[in-house]
């Protein structure tokens, strides 16, 4: 009998500890305890996710407003935009001139030949004499 009692006592003690741990001292859990255990984490999660989404959407709308020019800008941003507009105007002036895109690029040999011909024309005997008389180089 002693053996049987010693084996039953630990089981009974464990069962009572288990019951004490999971049940409150006043019986079944109250609605406040249930809310703190299950509802509060859910409410915190919902509130924090709403806050994160609000900030993300607010930042995105602010960026789109700035891109469309609806929002006010800082002085630096306004200055940068003014400089950009000035540069674009200058570029537009340059591109408004007719640019012949089909113009042939001279080869180095052709450039040297052209310079040689110019030098020969410049050094023709009557031009040389004219420079010598007037004292020009």
């Amino acid at each position: 009998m002693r053996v049987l009692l010693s084996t039953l006592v630990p089981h009974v003690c464990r069962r009572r500890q288990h019951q004490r741990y999971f049940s409150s001292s006043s019986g079944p859990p109250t609605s406040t305890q249930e809310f703190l255990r299950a509802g509060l984490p859910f409410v915190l999660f919902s509130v924090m996710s709403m806050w994160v989404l609000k900030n993300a959407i607010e930042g995105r709308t602010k960026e789109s407003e700035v891109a469309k020019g609806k929002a006010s800008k800082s002085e630096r941003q306004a200055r940068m935009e003014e400089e950009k507009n000035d540069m674009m105007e200058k570029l537009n002036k340059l591109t408004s001139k007719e640019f012949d895109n089909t113009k042939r690029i001279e080869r180095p040999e052709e450039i040297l030949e052209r310079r040689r011909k110019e030098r020969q024309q410049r050094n023709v005997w009557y031009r040389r004499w004219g420079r010598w008389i007037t004292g020009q180089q």
Side-chain angles (χ1 to χ4, degrees), residues 80-115:
M80 294 295 284
E81 190 170 309
E82 186 177 326
E83 287 178 16
K84 179 188 167 204
N85 291 338
D86 291 342
M87 293 295 286
M88 291 303 292
E89 285 177 17
K90 289 178 183 177
L91 284 174
N92 288 335
K93 285 180 184 177
L94 290 175
T95 56
S96 65
K97 297 176 186 174
E98 285 295 320
F99 179 72
D100 187 13
N101 204 12
T102 61
K103 187 176 178 182
R104 187 171 173 275
I105 299 172
E106 291 182 288
R107 295 183 178 145
E109 303 89 31
E110 293 172 350
I111 294 172
L112 292 174
E113 182 67 27
R114 182 177 44 86
R115 287 181 184 167

Side-chain angles (χ1 to χ4, degrees), residues 30-121:
T30 63
S31 62
T32 306
Q33 289 174 335
E34 286 178 357
F35 174 76
L36 290 176
R37 188 180 257 174
L40 186 62
F42 178 72
V43 169
L44 288 175
F45 174 77
S46 300
V47 169
M48 291 301 289
S49 60
M50 281 179 15
W51 179 77
V52 167
L53 285 174
K54 180 187 76 103
N55 285 341
I57 291 172
E58 183 178 305
R60 186 155 184 172
T61 54
K62 188 180 282 187
E63 287 177 7
S64 67
E65 285 176 358
V66 167
K68 292 177 184 175
K70 293 180 181 177
S72 63
K73 301 171 189 164
S74 68
E75 289 181 26
R76 181 179 176 275
Q77 285 176 331
R79 195 174 348 110
M80 294 295 284
E81 190 170 309
E82 186 177 326
E83 287 178 16
K84 179 188 167 204
N85 291 338
D86 291 342
M87 293 295 286
M88 291 303 292
E89 285 177 17
K90 289 178 183 177
L91 284 174
N92 288 335
K93 285 180 184 177
L94 290 175
T95 56
S96 65
K97 297 176 186 174
E98 285 295 320
F99 179 72
D100 187 13
N101 204 12
T102 61
K103 187 176 178 182
R104 187 171 173 275
I105 299 172
E106 291 182 288
R107 295 183 178 145
E109 303 89 31
E110 293 172 350
I111 294 172
L112 292 174
E113 182 67 27
R114 182 177 44 86
R115 287 181 184 167
R116 188 181 61 75
K117 285 182 183 178
E118 288 172 359
R119 197 176 324 114
Q120 283 177 349
Q121 282 182 344

